[in-house]
Amino acid sequence: MSEAPATRARAAIVREANAPVVVEDIELDAPGPGEVRVRVLATGVCHTDLHACMGNFGAEFPYYLGHEATGIVEAHGPDVTTPALGTTVVINWRAACGDCRFCAAGRANFCARPLVAGPRMRTLDGRPLGRVLGVGSFGTHTIVHARQAVPIAAELPPEATCLIGCGVVTGVGAVLYAAAVRPGSTVAVFGCGAVGISVIQGARLAGASRIIAVDLAPKKLDWALKFGATDVVDAREGEPSKKIRALTGTGVDYAFEAIGLPDTLNQAMWSCDLGGTCVLIGVPVPGAKLSFPGTKFFYSRATLKATFYGDCLATRDFPLLAGWYRDKRLDLDSLVTARVGLSDGEIADAFKAMERGEALRTVILMG
Ligand code: CXF
Ligand code: ZN
């Protein structure tokens, strides 16, 4: 049997840490066993892509950027039958293997061996491409494990559903699964980017009675109110935990940190009522040290936990979130603050807007 030929795609690549993003042709082998090739329709620009450009996730350069995407399955590896060709899918960057010690114990959100495709993509000068979170989606095509491709209703707009694949499931999942917010409880959210806004939406869906949004940027606080925050605290106007205590009388039941800074983690912790739960979602930069007074923590009897991907199970939660979007219970459309094409300049601008705090999500549309 003759081998399937390699194909070409356009992709946004970063060749070394802090180098500019370049859009160029790349080569893709045919998908291997267990894998599919996906034609990307839309992909969101997440902070993690910026961290990858800086080399914060190790030096797998050159990197194929992107990990939050909707596309269409267009080729199967040898043994693959599902998802069927033509199926619209959202890419899952953490597909549970099903048989590691965590999956076997029913804790697949901790899967120790998440499924990814083999190294099938390379630059035209032959360098294998690292992929952000095992995906690579700032491009026309990618190859992923078939179980990273989660079917979703084809009629929903890809520019909205792609956001489910990282930012939205991370924030909503942190509320529903990592914290398990109870109806009527009080919530504070530190950092009102796309993930923080998704925490706000999750808290609203969970029936929180008070949702206090904290940020330095007035624009983000305006967005927070639009998405369901009941109160906002401008962190430029003094220590936010004091204001949160003044607003609630006691502190909140749950505080979420969606930035990844030691200071904001402390503020979030000391915003909690006795026995409260503080959830760290923001990714600390390499070398960051978290510290807090031990006796204060002890007497607070607080829970501090970290989560990523909202402790979700994509096969359960992507269709759930897509259904809430379809039913207008979850607003994805307003999270899209810019739409761009696949070009170096537009992607560079998207990163700049993100760094300046002017964007919730920029979505790259493959056209
Ligand atoms: C990720 C980044 C890598 C560690 C887990 C969380 N966030 C998604 O973009
Ligand atoms: Zn992400």
Side-chain angles (χ1 to χ4, degrees):
M1 198 173 73
S2 66
E3 267 189 27
T7 53
R8 289 220 172 156
R10 292 288 286 169
I13 305 297
V14 171
R15 288 192 170 250
E16 57 190 79
N18 299 309
V21 177
V22 286
V23 173
E24 59 187 43
D25 285 346
I26 61 166
E27 199 165 58
L28 286 71
D29 292 332
E35 298 170 0
V36 293
R37 186 173 70 234
V38 172
R39 178 164 66 82
V40 178
L41 300 171
T43 179
V45 179
C46 170
H47 257 102
T48 297
D49 299 300
L50 190 55
H51 281 292
C53 292
M54 296 168 167
N56 290 352
F57 292 122
E60 289 179 47
F61 294 100
Y63 261 112
Y64 183 174
L65 297 174
H67 59 281
E68 179 184 86
T70 294
I72 293 180
V73 177
E74 69 165 27
H76 281 157
D79 52 349
V80 175
T81 52
T82 58
L85 298 180
T87 304
T88 302
V89 293
V90 174
I91 306 296
N92 166 18
W93 58 254
R94 214 179 149 76
C97 73
D99 57 18
C100 72
R101 66 190 189 283
F102 294 108
C103 289
R107 303 173 76 205
N109 55 309
F110 284 102
C111 175
R113 287 196 300 269
L115 302 170
V116 290
R120 315 231 178 265
M121 302 187 278
R122 67 191 84 81
T123 61
L124 293 190
D125 54 355
R127 294 177 67 192
L129 285 163
R131 297 152 292 173
V132 175
L133 302 180
V135 178
S137 63
F138 288 4
T140 57
H141 300 80
T142 191
I143 294 182
V144 293
H145 196 284
R147 280 162 55 192
Q148 288 183 276
V150 179
I152 197 134
E155 66 274 14
L156 299 175
E159 69 169 52
T161 58
C162 70
L163 307 184
I164 291 173
C166 186
V168 170
V169 82
T170 295
V172 177
V175 171
L176 299 184
Y177 302 118
V181 167
R182 292 179 308 269
S185 56
T186 52
V187 167
V189 184
F190 288 73
C192 300
V195 172
I197 293 288
S198 299
V199 169
I200 291 169
Q201 296 211 75
R204 179 174 43 74
L205 287 160
S209 61
R210 198 119 191 221
I211 306 170
I212 305 171
V214 184
D215 207 290
L216 293 162
K219 192 168 180 179
K220 290 201 172 164
L221 295 176
D222 288 346
W223 276 322
L225 287 169
K226 182 167 180 237
F227 281 93
T230 56
D231 305 81
V232 292
V233 171
D234 186 333
R236 295 170 310 173
E237 293 171 1
E239 162 58 45
S241 64
K242 289 208 180 84
K243 288 226 167 130
I244 291 170
R245 290 190 168 278
L247 280 168
T248 55
T250 55
V252 290
D253 300 312
Y254 305 93
F256 296 86
E257 202 280 358
I259 306 164
L261 293 175
D263 277 356
T264 40
L265 181 69
N266 266 277
Q267 293 164 10
M269 281 181 70
W270 311 130
S271 302
C272 287
D273 195 359
L274 287 177
T277 299
C278 179
V279 181
L280 174 62
I281 310 171
V283 185
V285 294
K289 295 270 186 295
L290 308 178
S291 74
F292 44 84
T295 47
K296 195 171 173 187
F297 179 62
F298 178 76
Y299 287 108
S300 76
R301 284 154 287 163
T303 300
L304 170 61
K305 68 185 295 186
T307 176
F308 61 61
Y309 226 15
D311 288 353
C312 83
L313 297 176
T315 45
R316 174 193 63 196
D317 296 314
F318 287 5
L320 178 74
L321 295 176
W324 287 348
Y325 167 63
R326 185 199 51 224
D327 298 344
K328 306 209 179 310
R329 298 176 66 199
L330 181 69
D331 182 1
L332 301 181
D333 299 325
S334 312
L335 279 174
V336 182
T337 47
R339 295 161 187 80
V340 300
L342 183 66
S343 77
D344 315 346
E346 286 170 291
I347 294 170
D349 287 348
F351 282 138
K352 278 187 216 137
M354 176 188 281
E355 285 180 297
R356 288 196 295 258
E358 290 167 1
L360 286 175
R361 272 297 194 258
T362 299
V363 172
I364 306 170
L365 300 168
M366 295 311 148

